[in-house]
Amino acid sequence: TAFRAATFSLGAGFTLDSAQPGRDSAEGSLPRNPTALQWRLSSGFQRYASVARKTGAPPAPLEQFVFKAECLLSDRCYVTGQSGWATGGHAGAWATGLLGFGVQTPDFRGHRLKVELATGAGGGGGVDSRGGALIQALAGWNWDFSPSWSVHLMAGNVRAPQGGFSTTVVDLGLGFRGTRQVVIPFRR
């Protein structure tokens, strides 16, 4: 059997240079005030409550390991990207990749409420994701229990816009956060 598929890829980005002491901004290489880039990396598990299968089997739960990266745009807004791989639910080849945007409340003793919306793709493992496009909406709680570590618990819905795949999702994870001084080339 031959395999043929059309593919399409679209990307965007910009380069961040590390701030280095001793470089003179008069030379045009480094602004006087570098920016602090705040980020969070987390890993955890998501559980889909009931996932339709292409085989006609009744819908069943699915668990996946998820790796997330967040970059804060401000104290209240962030961009997020995640990748997930099935760990349970008899869908071994299932994988997801999502990009999105989130908002969070101001910090209250390390606690924040968060809402995020992400879109991307998911497929494999006999899951009926109807073309692969996914939309995921989550709301939940994040607790920074130390200067670098946090836990989060979120819940919401993930669905395929083209059809039958729609389920409740619960997300529990452990995160590591940090800050890096960077120079954004197009910032004046």
Side-chain angles (χ1 to χ4, degrees), residues 7 35 43 56 64-66 80 94 99 105 107 124-125 132 161 181 185:
T7 61
T35 300
S43 62
Q64 68 177 1
F65 172 78
V66 176
T80 181
W94 170 259
L99 294 172
T105 62
D107 180 41
Q181 295 294 322

Side-chain angles (χ1 to χ4, degrees), residues 128-154:
D128 190 6
S129 59
R130 307 265 173 123
L134 297 178
I135 298 173
Q136 176 177 277
L138 296 175
W141 162 82
N142 189 88
W143 175 39
D144 295 327
F145 62 86
S146 83
S148 297
W149 293 95
S150 65
V151 293
H152 69 264
L153 176 62
M154 301 182 78

